Amino acid sequence: MKFNSLIQVGGRLLDLSIPQVMGILNATPDSFFAVSRAQTEEAVCKRVEQILSEGGTMVDIGACSTRPGGALATEAEERERLQMALGVVRKEFPDVVISVDTFRPNVAKMAVEEFGVEIINDISGGDDYADVINSDDMSSMFSMVSRLRVPYILMSSMNNIHDMIMEFARKVQVLRSLGQKDIIIDPGFGFGKTLDENYHILNELNKLQILGLPILVGVSRKRMIHQLLNITPDEALNGTTVANTLALSKGASILRVHDVKEAVEAVRIIHNL
């Protein structure tokens, strides 16, 4: 099934018929890959400049690390970190498309209403979705993003493609009933999956196209790569590029990455085939 390749971002149309690269900026002290961390205004500027100069078209800003074994930042800590980073990016790069990586509805509200963030990237998968059908409860991320009217990245922690498709179908139906228009699905590599399950899903990624929605893939330097190859995250660039190229060949529309230049080159090669 073909998907509508155009999504609305801040009053503009973004065409995903050619895959886009989303660069990661972590406004945190503890994200697993140090190069993506930016805790000062200068570091934020430098990181965004790098993402854009290497061909990235979106910046995904996170302020609450969800790395395995890590402690979650409080909502107040996440909000404060984001306010610093978003303030800098909006001032210095006013036209860049910003995605905010958060599972907290009130943080999403702040990011969109105060800084004009265009996309919400939610790793929780809207776990409370069953309670929000025909509800105006803004404590639910589904209700919140539907009211904010921004594209929403919906992630799954399911460990096989069949269950993932069924879950996505149910949740997309709820989102549509709430008026949500632009939905991007994320198979959630590294979340709730064993090493083998991650690779089975990557191998069958093309099956998600039955949902008719753009697919975001985030495998950058994750454990599924460095554990398999018996290397460190710092050594996982080559493995990441291989996995990204496979994902593109199976229908990925957005690559969420630490290493933008290499991902952009993979897109160019696959798009030229």
Side-chain angles (χ1 to χ4, degrees):
M1 179 186 293
K2 291 185 177 181
F3 67 93
N4 181 358
S5 63
L6 299 176
I7 63 171
Q8 288 273 358
V9 289
R12 297 167 286 169
L13 289 175
L14 180 65
D15 187 358
L16 299 179
S17 61
I18 298 176
Q20 303 294 303
V21 175
M22 173 185 284
I24 299 169
L25 188 162
N26 287 312
T28 58
D30 55 349
S31 296
F32 78 91
F33 187 55
V35 172
S36 67
R37 299 176 196 160
Q39 295 179 262
T40 67
E41 293 187 3
E42 181 181 2
V44 168
C45 280
K46 184 177 180 180
R47 177 60 180 157
V48 177
E49 285 175 353
Q50 179 186 23
I51 290 169
L52 298 179
S53 68
E54 293 182 357
T57 54
M58 293 176 272
V59 178
D60 187 57
I61 303 178
C64 178
S65 175
T66 53
R67 65 184 175 87
L72 288 179
T74 66
E75 183 166 329
E77 289 171 331
E78 182 184 15
R79 182 186 293 266
E80 182 178 356
R81 293 169 182 173
L82 275 175
Q83 286 171 333
M84 181 279 291
L86 290 171
V88 172
V89 177
R90 274 295 175 239
K91 178 182 177 183
E92 301 297 332
F93 310 92
D95 297 326
V96 69
V97 175
I98 302 175
S99 164
V100 159
D101 181 353
T102 186
F103 56 88
R104 291 172 168 137
N106 287 329
V107 173
K109 180 176 185 291
M110 178 274 294
V112 173
E113 292 185 347
E114 295 183 21
F115 297 95
V117 163
E118 290 92 349
I119 301 172
I120 294 300
N121 180 12
D122 175 18
I123 66 160
S124 77
D127 289 337
D128 52 358
Y129 80 102
D131 299 325
V132 303
I133 300 176
N134 299 321
S135 168
D136 291 327
D137 181 7
M138 291 301 114
S139 66
S140 156
M141 184 64 91
F142 277 17
S143 295
M144 182 62 76
V145 294
S146 299
R147 185 176 75 83
L148 294 170
R149 300 195 179 281
V150 294
Y152 177 56
I153 300 171
L154 172 65
M155 199 194 81
S156 175
S157 295
M158 290 294 174
N159 63 3
N160 65 83
I161 284 286
H162 175 269
D163 291 348
M164 189 178 290
I165 290 172
M166 298 302 291
E167 179 194 47
F168 275 142
R170 289 192 300 270
K171 291 184 175 182
V172 167
Q173 184 177 17
V174 173
L175 283 162
R176 296 295 192 210
S177 75
L178 293 168
Q180 180 66 22
K181 293 183 178 180
D182 292 312
I183 303 168
I184 299 161
I185 55 175
D186 174 1
F189 289 104
F191 289 84
K193 302 166 182 67
T194 65
L195 182 67
D196 286 344
E197 288 165 350
N198 279 307
Y199 283 99
H200 288 154
I201 289 167
L202 179 59
N203 186 47
E204 297 184 312
L205 189 71
N206 58 297
K207 293 183 179 180
L208 291 180
Q209 294 180 74
I210 195 173
L211 296 164
L213 296 168
I215 302 167
L216 178 145
V217 167
V219 295
S220 185
R221 296 182 182 267
K222 285 188 174 178
R223 183 175 296 181
M224 64 178 280
I225 294 171
H226 61 80
Q227 185 178 54
L228 177 68
L229 301 177
N230 194 28
I231 56 177
T232 67
D234 288 344
E235 300 170 306
L237 174 56
N238 185 59
T240 294
T241 303
V242 172
N244 280 334
T245 304
L246 289 170
L248 289 168
S249 72
K250 292 177 178 290
S253 302
I254 301 173
L255 298 178
R256 179 181 179 274
V257 300
H258 300 94
D259 308 283
V260 173
K261 177 178 180 289
E262 292 78 4
V264 168
E265 290 175 348
V267 168
R268 288 176 179 167
I269 290 171
I270 290 292
H271 185 66
N272 257 354
L273 295 179

